[in-house]
Amino acid sequence: MTMKTVFEKTTGLTDNQTHYCPGCTHGIIHRMVGEVLEEMGILEDTVGVASVGCSVLSYEYFNCDMTQAAHGRAPAVATGIKRVLPDRFVFTYQGDGDLASIGIAEAVHAAARGENITVIFVNNAIYGMTGGQMAPTTLVGQKTATTPFGRNASIQGLPIRVSEMLSTLDGTAYIERVSTHDVPNIIKTKKAIRKAFETQKQGKGFSMVEVLSSCPTNWGLDPNESLDWIKDHMVPAYPLGVYKDVPKEADR
Amino acid sequence: MGKVLMKGNEVIAEAAVHAGCKYFFGYPITPQSELVAYMARRLPEVGGLFLQAESEVAAINMVYGAAGTGVRVMTSSSSPGFSLKQEGISYLVGAELPALIVNVVRGGPGLGNIQPAQSDYFQVTKGGGHGDYHTPVLAPSTLQEIIDLTEAAFDIADQYRTPVILLGDGMLGQMMEPVEFKELNERDPEQKEWATTGTRGDGKPRIISSLELNADALEKRNELLQKKFALIKQNEVRYETFEIDDADYIVTAYGTAARIAMNAINQARKDGLKIGMIRPITLWPFPEQPFIETRDRVKGYLSVEMSAGQMVEDVRLAVEGRAPVSFFGRTGGVVPTQEEIYDQIIKLAGGVEV
């Protein structure tokens, strides 16, 4: 009796084993990006840009040409690539420390220019790689290595809602916030990633998918509790949904 | 083509176009803004692209991205902006990407002023950003020389996969001189097998990165980089000498300071003093050889700079204490006069016999 193959790893990812912590949803998000690149048949026409932070080694995992960028600079690096190669697909894969803090200027201006790139923005409300410090997206009251008594708005300020902020810019074409805390939302996440790359394919301009993601290690929760924490704490603070979807025919 | 009267900053820009550069990412800063403006008008004419970035940091990282696709790409700035580019330059070196970075130096530190200076010498020759590295630095002293050195800079960048710095100052950037360009030849862009352009059926994905988490592996990468730097030191040293064979004293200076010092030397020669000149054209690699060849027979060297004394340290290293090395410099954007330098030469040579 021969075995029937019912499931295979996407060719959008390499065979390298990822370094992510158990229960971290980077692996899921990686796989969906890889699946979308494979399904759209654009792997060989894609150049990805890895950021600094937990996803710094993502160039080892995506099965396409990849460039590693300095902290926060991925949208500028992507701009350089896309402006030379306008017919290739260019995406960045960035965490919240990278995109919302040190790289906020590069993100805002790439969006404002309407760069025809796709940003995969993974928001886990904390700096992971450097050991669990406060991020711009850390929730009020959330304990981190640098907010040991909980984020206090009067001292550390308030979280930045990146999707809301960037969707106010005329240069953005498609912005959606999704989550990885359960299967229905994971399926929505993949649809959003596909939609973002389709937006780039149609030359409509800047597209971004903000993915709410878990960090069991730095949150001090087990993987299941982490998924609940996304649902119970992050989703209310960062409402899911489409923030911008410029129709193809729109006069821009 | 005949001679045309052009401003230094525009000469750099046109020279880059002649060298096949079609991509420029920059940010305005005085006294180099004409370069940015020239490229904004000129590059579309040759099918290229100009983009004004939101900051110097973004500009150098756009250069990083574009360089990774294998094209000839450049940016330009002046001192405070150049400091901001150091992060990206360190990454370009680490990832071994070719690019041209122009620094039209102005007075500092801090915001300083917009007058010509040479006070970024340490920053451009000693690494500047983090990590163990050097970048080749070419320092023209005339607008005509800019044309040759800009092309040489791109060639060196491509040959060694390294960022190269073209170092000018506010005087060279702002002055006008007649220059002559060769005919513009359309050159085919070089195909670079390491470039990330999408795999397009040619197999394994390529990665551009300066990250190496394993210490032993990173040390090996550093050793390879050091080998490359040694090769550049061996092959790419450029300098010019003037009447050093019979010289009692040798003045050394680069860029604008060298032009002015040359006039002072000519005057001293007329007055019967045996003064020679060594003009470094590459500041890194520093031209040690003419100093080694003369250090046991001259009575001394005088380093003239528009700084508080930076290149003089490399002169002293090359001379190895075998002859006295003195220094004269003006700072803060003050350009030394021919008379001032002449007086320094006289002081050094113990006066003129009347």
Side-chain angles (χ1 to χ4, degrees):
Chain A
M1 179 183 158
T2 52
M3 302 284 268
K4 188 180 165 198
T5 302
V6 292
F7 183 78
E8 281 185 312
K9 180 184 78 62
T10 172
T11 59
L13 296 179
T14 64
D15 291 333
N16 292 327
Q17 197 172 344
T18 68
H19 68 285
Y20 298 114
C21 300
C24 166
T25 47
H26 263 309
I28 294 170
I29 303 164
H30 272 38
R31 204 179 98 196
M32 287 187 290
V33 172
E35 283 177 358
V36 166
L37 295 177
E38 181 192 358
E39 287 163 15
M40 287 177 69
I42 58 174
L43 260 176
E44 298 199 331
D45 295 322
T46 295
V47 183
V49 183
S51 60
V52 169
C54 290
S55 55
V56 68
L57 289 170
S58 62
Y59 61 76
E60 297 277 7
Y61 310 141
F62 290 114
N63 192 21
C64 59
D65 276 6
M66 291 291 296
T67 296
Q68 206 289 311
H71 42 203
R73 317 302 177 215
V77 173
T79 297
I81 298 168
K82 185 74 179 187
R83 291 294 182 124
V84 176
L85 304 169
D87 64 338
R88 310 299 204 279
F89 289 85
V90 178
F91 76 94
T92 73
Y93 190 100
Q94 303 175 259
D96 46 74
D98 188 84
L99 184 144
S101 190
I102 194 168
I104 193 79
E106 284 78 3
V108 166
H109 286 275
R113 285 191 302 268
E115 294 294 342
N116 195 31
I117 60 173
T118 298
V119 171
I120 307 297
F121 170 43
V122 180
N123 179 0
N124 61 9
I126 204 162
Y127 281 72
M129 177 65 92
T130 48
Q133 297 83 7
M134 185 188 77
T137 48
T138 292
L139 304 182
V140 172
Q142 187 182 341
K143 286 185 180 175
T144 72
T146 50
T147 53
F149 313 109
R151 182 173 186 166
N152 179 336
S154 68
I155 300 172
Q156 286 100 9
L158 293 155
I160 296 177
R161 293 193 181 95
V162 174
S163 287
E164 285 87 335
M165 184 172 78
L166 294 188
S167 63
T168 67
L169 297 169
D170 292 341
T172 54
Y174 173 70
I175 291 180
E176 181 169 357
R177 184 185 287 127
V178 290
S179 177
T180 50
H181 68 268
D182 59 19
V183 173
N185 278 287
I186 288 170
I187 290 167
K188 278 188 192 168
T189 297
K190 185 174 170 187
K191 279 187 185 154
I193 293 170
R194 171 105 190 194
K195 172 94 181 188
F197 278 99
E198 296 284 358
T199 299
Q200 185 178 163
K201 189 176 184 180
Q202 291 158 8
K204 285 157 68 171
F206 187 88
S207 54
M208 184 183 80
V209 181
E210 176 176 348
V211 189
L212 303 185
S213 173
S214 67
C215 184
T217 300
N218 288 304
W219 291 353
L221 301 172
D222 74 29
N224 283 324
E225 290 168 346
S226 294
L227 297 178
D228 287 341
W229 199 85
I230 296 177
K231 182 180 67 187
D232 298 337
H233 294 89
M234 287 190 74
V235 171
Y238 298 109
L240 307 181
V242 176
Y243 284 86
K244 189 81 169 275
D245 188 4
V246 174
K248 194 177 182 184
E249 290 76 25
D251 185 19
R252 295 175 59 239
Chain B
M1 266 183 96
K3 289 205 168 181
V4 285
L5 186 66
M6 283 178 82
K7 200 170 193 175
N9 285 329
E10 297 181 340
V11 174
I12 298 171
E14 185 58 39
V17 171
H18 270 70
C21 174
K22 288 196 170 155
Y23 298 92
F24 184 101
F25 301 90
Y27 188 78
I29 181 170
T30 313
Q32 63 83 54
S33 293
E34 296 86 355
L35 207 171
V36 180
Y38 189 94
M39 283 306 207
R41 192 178 68 237
R42 183 75 172 108
L43 281 175
E45 290 175 0
V46 293
L49 175 119
F50 165 86
L51 186 66
Q52 181 168 322
E54 62 270 28
S55 69
E56 286 90 346
V57 176
I60 190 70
N61 282 284
M62 290 172 186
V63 166
Y64 177 97
T69 70
V71 296
R72 285 196 161 183
V73 57
M74 71 182 287
T75 185
S76 67
S77 196
S78 181
S79 307
F82 188 81
S83 294
L84 291 173
K85 290 188 195 288
Q86 292 293 352
E87 168 194 285
I89 296 171
S90 171
Y91 277 77
L92 284 162
V93 173
E96 297 195 80
L97 294 178
L100 176 65
I101 301 129
V102 178
N103 184 2
V104 180
V105 181
R106 69 188 228 184
L111 198 52
N113 60 20
I114 58 170
Q115 309 301 324
Q118 296 183 322
S119 44
D120 294 358
Y121 181 93
F122 284 154
Q123 200 182 28
V124 296
T125 61
K126 310 296 183 194
H130 60 282
D132 280 314
Y133 75 88
H134 291 282
T135 44
V137 183
L138 299 172
S141 73
T142 67
L143 302 202
Q144 187 64 47
E145 192 180 21
I146 284 173
I147 296 170
D148 292 337
L149 292 188
T150 302
E151 183 165 18
F154 277 112
D155 290 342
I156 291 168
D158 276 343
Q159 185 178 344
Y160 299 95
R161 285 180 62 182
T162 178
V164 175
I165 293 163
L166 186 78
L167 190 78
D169 60 61
M171 181 76 90
L172 282 171
Q174 294 297 319
M175 71 191 299
M176 294 185 84
E177 277 185 333
V179 292
E180 190 163 11
F181 287 93
K182 287 177 248 167
E183 290 295 329
L184 183 57
N185 291 322
E186 275 297 322
R187 58 170 88 200
D188 290 327
E190 198 185 325
Q191 294 300 315
K192 294 162 179 164
E193 95 293 332
W194 49 262
T196 49
T197 56
T199 56
R200 312 210 120 191
D202 63 0
K204 205 171 167 275
R206 288 153 299 201
I207 295 168
I208 287 169
S209 172
S210 58
L211 179 70
E212 185 50 79
L213 290 171
N214 179 287
D216 289 327
L218 184 56
E219 185 174 49
K220 283 207 168 62
R221 274 177 87 149
N222 267 281
E223 284 164 4
L224 286 176
L225 285 176
Q226 292 300 325
K227 274 187 192 162
K228 174 160 81 177
F229 301 147
L231 201 62
I232 295 171
K233 278 182 92 162
Q234 192 184 309
N235 297 339
E236 303 301 336
V237 173
R238 288 168 186 243
Y239 60 92
E240 200 176 66
T241 61
F242 172 74
E243 297 197 3
I244 57 171
D245 291 345
D246 70 337
D248 290 329
Y249 294 91
I250 292 176
V251 174
T252 182
Y254 67 94
T256 291
R259 289 173 73 124
I260 305 165
M262 197 63 228
N263 293 337
I265 292 166
N266 282 328
Q267 192 186 337
R269 279 264 165 194
K270 272 185 206 154
D271 293 339
L273 294 172
K274 290 181 179 167
I275 311 293
M277 165 84 141
I278 297 172
R279 179 171 73 90
I281 295 171
T282 50
L283 303 184
W284 192 89
F286 187 74
E288 293 162 354
Q289 197 55 34
F291 294 96
I292 291 167
E293 285 167 8
T294 54
R295 66 194 185 188
D296 289 323
R297 63 168 194 262
V298 300
K299 292 177 185 165
Y301 299 88
L302 171 66
S303 184
V304 176
E305 304 172 42
M306 285 145 60
S307 76
Q310 300 193 14
M311 185 178 77
V312 65
E313 294 191 3
D314 284 335
V315 175
R316 289 201 175 108
L317 283 172
V319 170
E320 290 188 315
R322 292 168 190 246
V325 176
S326 53
F327 167 75
F328 174 70
R330 298 297 304 267
T331 63
V334 177
V335 180
T337 65
Q338 180 181 330
E339 291 72 29
E340 274 177 333
I341 299 170
Y342 179 80
D343 289 348
Q344 291 295 319
I345 292 170
I346 297 301
K347 205 166 104 186
L348 191 68
V352 182
E353 284 181 35
V354 185

